[in-house]
Structure formats: structure tokens, C-alpha cells
């Protein structure tokens, strides 16, 4: 064994989906957005019961994941050409929020993997035929993380590329059958960043996800050593960021022409609103039972507690409105005659970052008033606080970077980051 291999963390085995539970075309044709929302909402108690176990096992629970698959939510953004649903962005939030309320980690992974179906629709048509077609009466799909940092290396060879690298933040890998990894082409004059897709069984998953919140996402590192990727399984990430990927040309629906970053930002922020809702509900329940130390007064009778509860509730609702405004604006601009500008996209990014910051502030103010018992392992409030602290540190919610980009746009300056 090579020394480099000996220094690597141990590997962990994903639960690769069997793929024997795909829905039929007839079932999908009858599924409405309202049906989908009812199905995911009905799963919230199941996710709540398994939330602690999800955190302990550091991955979504297979029983829960299979129940989520059965709702049909992973068809949400699959093109109708392949039997998918092509539902709108509001119903995406409606369907994902109950899952995030039940378990922030599982809801986060689910929302990402649903959005990643949209990413897969931006790849060349032959690859979409490979993963979405050929299922007969049943309509297949794949679960695939999308990892970008740090980028790997793609060496051009006949018919494609040979890629190598180690990537962090592999959300979705523990329940996946494919993976998308970002790679740079050395000495490429166009400085292209490629998204390369390959089956999970060609990826080593390193056991690195030891963290103080969102531990149930299982977002381990991915390692690939000299794998061949045919050209048709690659996509120019700059096109996807701009809303000009293959899906923008293949499908007559503005959801496939929206720039990636605002859509991605809203997708991840669903978890913030969901865990915020869960924290408000938990705090309200605990107020009814907690007696203020040194008194005989229930905390629910204290005006200060009532005010914190009400304020947090409105903050979470406000954050949700910001997300809906941003994602609908992203699609609205995509439906227009010209692409969204830097000024427009930078505003949406800052709007989304503020939504996540509002969620973090709301949960923090509740936990501050909940007493030391809120930090006991058996109290869900401590997990909600840890989860929001971790998810709000996603690079897309860097409030300083988002504000800087917005300020540069307002002053007529060029962007100094691709994340907008």
C-alpha cells in the first residue's frame, strides 16, 4: 500500500439505491403539486422520530429515504420529455419545507438531490438519455451529489477526460448512485470548469464528516483517482451558472434557463426556514411546561417569552418570503428576452443570504430564552441551533461576500467572484 493511501481516512460505504421503486408514467401523469406536498407533509412525523438517529449514524436513515423516494419528489424538476413533472419553484419549497421541519439533515440532502436533477438536465442530451431514459413504463432517475471544492483536474484524452481529485462537502453521497464533480482543465485558455458525472461505485467515499451540526447529511469527502469520463458526461459549469446550459436550449421552460447560484442558494436555505419552524414549535411547547427557576411562574405567562416566540415566528415567515421572492424573480428573469444581469443576480444572492441570517437570529433568540435545559442532548432545540449554525456557514450565505458583490454591482464595478 502506498504511503499516501495509508494517510487517507477510512472509506465509508454509501447505501446505493436499488432502483426498483421508480414510478410509472401513468402514476406521474396523475401526480399534482398538491398531491406531492401532501405526501411530503405526511412524512414529517417520521423524520422527527428518526432525527436523532440520523445524527448518530451520520447519514439519512434508509427507511426514511425510501419513504421520501416513494413520494415522487425526485421527479420534480425532471423534464417532461422523460416523464418528469416539471413542477414550479413554489411547489418545490412547499414540498421540501415539511421535510426540513422534521429533520434538518434529511431535508437538506433531499432538497439538494431534487435540485441536482435540475443540474443533470443541464448536461448534454445523450447523458440525459442514459440516466432518465430507457426505463420502459417506469421512469428512472439518479441521486447525485454535486461537489465543487476544491476542483479536481481533468486531462483531455481521446473521447473525453481523465479526472482525479479529492472534493469536500459531498452532500447526498450516502444515498447516491451517481456523482457530479467539478474539474479544471490545466492550461485551458478558456479557463473552463467542467462538471463531470460518473457512477458512485467509481468513487471512494472518505469518512470525514465529523462536525457539530448537520451531521446527519453524511457530506463526506469524495476521492477519484484517474477515472475516464466520456465527453457527453461533462458540462461547462460557467454555462450553468449563467442559465445557458444544455437544458436552456433543450426545453421550453424558464426553470431550465435560470442561473444556478440563486436557485442553489434558495435550495439550501429551505433547511434554514424548516429548522426555524421546528424551533418555534419546540419553544412554544416547552414554554407551556417550563417553570422559571426561583418562582412558581410558568414561562408561557411571561410577556418577554411571548414576545420572543412571536418575533421569531415572524422572522421565519419573513425569511420564507425572501426566498420565494428571490427564486420566483430568478425564473421570471429567465423567461425574459435577455439574461439576468450581474446587478440583478447580486441582489438575489444578498437577499437569500439575509434570509438565512434571519433564520439563525430567530433560533438563537429562542434558545437564549429557553434555559440551560435547551442544551441537553434530549432537547431538540440544541440540535436546531447547531444545525442552523452549520448550514448558515455555507459559502453562498457569506453575508460579507454577498454584500460586497452587491455593492460592486451598485457602483458599476465588475464582479470579483463567480458566486452570484
Amino acid at each position: 500500500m502506498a504511503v499516501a493511501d495509508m494517510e487517507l481516512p477510512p472509506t465509508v460505504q454509501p447505501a446505493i439505491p436499488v432502483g426498483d421503486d421508480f414510478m410509472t408514467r401513468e402514476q406521474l401523469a396523475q401526480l399534482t403539486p398538491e398531491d406531492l406536498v401532501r405526501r411530503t407533509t405526511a412524512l414529517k412525523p417520521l423524520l422527527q422520530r428518526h432525527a436523532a438517529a440520523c445524527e448518530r449514524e451520520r447519514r439519512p436513515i434508509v427507511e426514511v429515504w425510501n419513504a421520501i423516494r416513494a413520494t415522487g419528489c425526485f421527479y420534480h424538476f425532471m423534464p417532461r420529455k422523460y416523464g418528469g413533472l416539471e413542477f414550479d419553484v413554489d411547489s418545490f419549497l412547499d414540498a421540501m419545507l415539511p421535510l426540513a421541519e422534521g429533520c434538518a439533515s434529511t431535508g437538506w440532502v433531499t432538497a439538494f438531490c431534487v435540485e441536482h436533477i435540475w443540474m443533470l438536465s443541464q448536461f448534454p442530451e445523450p447523458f440525459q438519455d442514459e440516466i432518465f431514459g430507457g426505463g420502459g413504463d417506469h421512469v428512472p432517475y439518479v441521486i447525485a451529489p454535486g461537489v465543487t471544492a476544491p476542483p479536481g483536474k481533468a486531462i483531455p484524452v481521446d473521447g473525453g477526460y481523465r479526472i482525479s481529485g479529492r472534493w469536500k462537502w459531498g452532500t447526498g453521497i450516502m444515498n447516491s448512485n451517481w456523482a457530479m464533480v467539478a474539474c479544471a482543465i490545466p492550461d485551458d485558455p478558456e479557463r473552463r470548469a467542467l462538471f463531470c458525472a460518473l457512477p458512485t461505485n467509481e468513487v471512494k467515499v472518505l469518512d470525514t464528516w465529523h462536525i457539530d451540526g448537520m451531521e446527519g447529511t453524511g457530506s463526506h469527502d469524495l476521492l477519484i483517482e484517474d477515472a475516464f469520463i466520456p465527453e457527453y458526461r461533462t458540462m461547462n459549469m460557467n454555462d450553468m451558472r449563467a442559465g445557458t446550459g444544455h437544458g436552456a436550449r433543450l426545453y421550453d421552460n424558464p426553470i431550465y434557463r435560470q442561473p444556478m447560484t440563486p436557485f442553489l442558494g434558495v435550495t439550501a436555505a429551505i433547511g434554514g426556514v424548516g429548522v426555524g419552524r421546528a424551533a418555534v414549535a419546540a419553544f412554544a411547547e416547552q414554554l407551556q411546561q417550563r417553570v422559571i427557576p426561583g418562582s412558581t411562574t410558568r414561562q408561557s405567562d411571561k410577556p418577554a417569552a411571548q414576545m420572543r416566540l412571536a418575533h421569531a415566528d415572524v422572522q421565519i415567515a419573513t425569511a420564507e418570503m425572501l426566498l420565494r421572492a428571490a427564486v420566483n424573480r430568478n425564473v421570471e428573469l429567465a423567461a425574459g428576452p435577455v439574461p439576468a444581469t450581474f446587478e440583478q443576480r447580486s441582489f438575489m444572492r444578498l437577499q437569500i443570504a439575509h434570509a438565512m441570517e434571519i433564520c439563525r437570529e430567530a433560533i438563537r433568540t429562542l434558545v437564549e430564552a429557553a434555559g440551560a435545559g435547551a442544551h441537553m442532548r434530549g432537547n431538540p432545540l440544541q440540535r436546531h441551533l447547531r444545525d442552523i449554525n452549520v448550514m448558515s456557514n455555507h459559502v453562498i450565505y457569506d453575508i460579507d461576500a454577498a454584500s460586497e458583490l452587491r455593492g460592486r454591482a451598485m457602483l458599476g464595478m465588475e464582479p470579483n467572484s463567480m458566486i452570484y
Side-chain angles (χ1 to χ4, degrees), residues 77 79-80 86-87 89 115 117-123 128 235 237-264 326-341 344-345 348 420:
F77 291 116
R80 286 198 186 99
E86 279 193 31
F87 286 164
V89 289
E115 188 257 354
I117 297 290
W118 175 88
M119 286 186 175
L120 291 162
S121 76
Q122 302 299 321
F123 275 78
Q128 295 187 50
M235 163 183 66
M237 290 190 67
N238 294 334
D239 289 341
M240 184 170 63
R241 290 192 186 102
T244 57
H246 292 279
R249 301 187 290 273
L250 291 170
Y251 308 118
D252 186 22
N253 187 328
I255 63 172
Y256 299 111
R257 297 196 296 275
Q258 61 179 321
M260 178 194 73
T261 299
F263 186 30
L264 172 64
V327 75
N328 278 287
R329 179 60 171 160
N330 201 36
V331 175
E332 176 188 328
L333 291 169
V338 295
T341 64
Q344 291 165 329
R345 288 162 59 183
M348 288 185 286
Y420 68 89

Side-chain angles (χ1 to χ4, degrees), residues 68-106:
I68 292 171
R69 283 171 63 94
T71 67
C73 69
F74 293 113
Y75 296 101
H76 198 291
F77 291 116
M78 182 188 290
R80 286 198 186 99
K81 169 186 174 180
Y82 297 103
L85 299 171
E86 279 193 31
F87 286 164
D88 62 17
V89 289
D90 273 314
S91 61
F92 173 51
L93 269 73
D94 292 338
M96 295 296 102
L97 279 170
L99 302 179
E101 285 184 70
C103 173
S105 287
T106 303

Side-chain angles (χ1 to χ4, degrees), residues 129-149:
D129 290 341
E130 179 180 358
I131 58 175
F132 297 145
D137 187 46
H138 288 78
V139 180
Y141 60 83
V142 301
I143 299 296
V147 291
T148 60

Side-chain angles (χ1 to χ4, degrees), residues 45-304:
L46 177 69
L47 271 70
Q48 287 173 324
R49 290 196 300 270
H50 288 83
C54 175
E55 182 172 65
R56 286 194 304 271
E57 296 191 20
R58 297 183 301 125
R59 62 197 300 168
I61 303 301
V62 172
E63 173 191 344
V64 175
W65 191 255
N66 289 340
I68 292 171
R69 283 171 63 94
T71 67
C73 69
F74 293 113
Y75 296 101
H76 198 291
F77 291 116
M78 182 188 290
R80 286 198 186 99
K81 169 186 174 180
Y82 297 103
L85 299 171
E86 279 193 31
F87 286 164
D88 62 17
V89 289
D90 273 314
S91 61
F92 173 51
L93 269 73
D94 292 338
M96 295 296 102
L97 279 170
L99 302 179
E101 285 184 70
C103 173
S105 287
T106 303
W108 174 277
V109 175
T110 305
F112 265 101
C113 290
V114 172
E115 188 257 354
H116 289 174
I117 297 290
W118 175 88
M119 286 186 175
L120 291 162
S121 76
Q122 302 299 321
F123 275 78
E125 191 171 23
F127 181 53
Q128 295 187 50
D129 290 341
E130 179 180 358
I131 58 175
F132 297 145
D137 187 46
H138 288 78
V139 180
Y141 60 83
V142 301
I143 299 296
V147 291
T148 60
K153 183 190 300 182
I155 305 298
V157 296
D158 186 29
Y161 301 87
R162 300 208 71 89
I163 69 169
S164 299
R166 176 174 171 176
W167 296 262
K168 299 179 71 65
W169 324 115
T171 295
I173 190 62
M174 295 308 294
N175 300 83
S176 69
N177 43 11
W178 281 77
M180 296 179 287
V181 299
C183 292
I185 304 172
D187 303 319
D188 180 40
E190 299 179 20
R191 302 185 66 181
R192 286 172 295 166
L194 295 181
F195 232 175
C196 305
L198 73 170
T200 298
N201 59 20
E202 297 180 21
V203 177
K204 289 182 180 178
V205 182
L206 305 179
D207 189 358
T208 55
W209 194 243
H210 302 278
I211 194 164
D212 63 1
M214 299 299 286
E215 195 162 12
T217 64
S219 302
H220 299 283
D221 288 9
L222 277 58
L223 179 68
I224 299 172
E225 301 170 295
D226 194 34
F228 173 72
I229 308 294
E231 179 76 34
Y232 78 95
R233 290 185 187 168
T234 70
M235 163 183 66
N236 189 328
M237 290 190 67
N238 294 334
D239 289 341
M240 184 170 63
R241 290 192 186 102
T244 57
H246 292 279
R249 301 187 290 273
L250 291 170
Y251 308 118
D252 186 22
N253 187 328
I255 63 172
Y256 299 111
R257 297 196 296 275
Q258 61 179 321
M260 178 194 73
T261 299
F263 186 30
L264 172 64
V266 169
T267 295
I270 290 171
V273 173
V275 75
R277 286 183 179 180
V280 168
F283 185 70
E285 180 181 354
Q286 292 175 30
L287 286 183
Q288 305 293 330
Q289 304 166 5
R290 184 170 182 249
V291 175
I292 302 296
S295 74
T296 58
T297 304
R298 285 190 311 174
Q299 191 175 13
S300 59
D301 293 329
K302 300 292 289 183

